[in-house]
């Protein structure tokens, strides 16, 4: 896009864009970004393919990686693509402290030179949608980044997904 102001970038990412590139741009940069997205998809496939049933449950939160579904207290939670990638990365690295740079690199694939507040914005979105427990699942490590605490971990199972219909969107 020709819109390269910070506000345009933030709006584009908040609306669910995986990345944002303003004109003029280098074809080499474009190719590198496309490769990074493909690499991220391959890594995601490796993570989800290695879990039994592709689901994890912690406390009242259940995530089915195979179906790309999130439930809180048995109710479906709608997440944008970026929110889902962020939650997936935090869950895949549960109990580890992840730096802001690590998260930006893996979720947005940035060698980030812009305003890092986009990460705080998405952490806030996730907290509003899925983090309604005390102590919170998503923990801020001041001056470092974030970690995801596992509460009442039931292990990798299919818990909370048996009642989901397989055909979402048909007739809705």
């Amino acid at each position: 896009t020709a819109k390269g102001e910070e506000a345009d970038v933030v709006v584009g990412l908040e609306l669910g864009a995986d990345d944002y590139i303003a004109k003029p741009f280098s074809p080499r940069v474009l190719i590198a970004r496309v490769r990074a997205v493909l690499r991220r998809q391959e890594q995601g496939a490796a993570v989800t393919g290695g879990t039994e049933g592709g689901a994890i449950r912690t406390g009242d939160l259940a995530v089915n990686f195979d179906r790309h579904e999130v439930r809180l207290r048995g109710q479906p939670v709608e997440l944008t693509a970026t929110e889902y990638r962020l939650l997936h990365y935090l869950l895949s690295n549960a109990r580890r402290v992840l730096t802001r740079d690590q998260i930006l690199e893996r979720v947005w694939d940035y060698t980030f030179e812009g305003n890092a507040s986009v990460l705080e914005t998405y952490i806030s979105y996730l907290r509003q949608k899925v983090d309604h427990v005390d102590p919170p699942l998503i923990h801020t490590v001041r001056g470092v980044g974030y970690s995801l605490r596992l509460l009442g971990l039931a292990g990798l199972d299919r818990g909370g997904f048996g009642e989901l219909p397989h055909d979402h969107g048909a007739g809705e």
Side-chain angles (χ1 to χ4, degrees):
T1 181
K3 295 183 176 186
E5 298 296 317
E6 179 179 315
D8 298 320
V9 173
V10 171
V11 167
L13 294 170
E14 286 178 352
L15 290 174
D18 289 338
D19 198 357
Y20 196 99
I21 188 167
K23 294 177 189 173
F25 56 87
S26 155
R28 290 179 64 198
V29 169
L30 177 62
I31 290 169
R33 287 178 184 248
V34 169
R35 286 182 180 153
V37 169
L38 294 173
R39 185 173 56 247
R40 226 178 18 242
Q41 287 179 335
E42 289 171 5
Q43 290 168 345
V47 169
T48 60
T51 61
E52 179 188 325
I56 190 167
R57 173 181 222 126
T58 179
D60 290 334
L61 180 67
V63 180
N64 185 307
F65 298 119
D66 293 338
R67 293 187 191 168
H68 205 272
E69 294 172 342
V70 178
R71 286 190 170 254
L72 182 65
R73 294 180 198 97
Q75 298 301 310
V77 177
E78 295 296 322
L79 298 179
T80 66
T82 303
E83 290 166 347
Y84 181 84
R85 281 195 318 276
L86 177 57
L87 180 61
H88 186 275
Y89 185 57
L90 290 171
L91 279 168
S92 297
N93 292 281
R95 297 190 178 119
R96 291 185 55 211
V97 176
L98 300 168
T99 67
R100 287 172 173 79
D101 289 340
Q102 285 175 310
I103 297 169
L104 288 167
E105 172 70 27
R106 296 300 287 258
V107 175
W108 281 270
D109 199 39
Y110 287 173
T111 36
F112 199 74
E113 296 175 14
N115 187 342
S117 67
V118 70
L119 174 57
E120 285 77 17
T121 299
Y122 274 89
I123 290 289
S124 173
Y125 293 159
L126 272 183
R127 284 179 170 151
Q128 290 171 21
K129 292 182 178 183
V130 301
D131 198 357
H132 304 176
V133 295
D134 188 29
L137 292 173
I138 303 170
H139 176 69
T140 302
V141 180
R142 293 194 190 280
V144 180
Y146 299 93
S147 67
L148 189 122
R149 299 176 184 183
L150 296 179
L151 306 172
L153 181 64
L156 297 176
D157 60 24
R158 296 180 189 271
F161 290 99
E163 69 280 18
L164 283 177
H166 294 283
D167 186 18
H168 293 288
E172 292 178 11

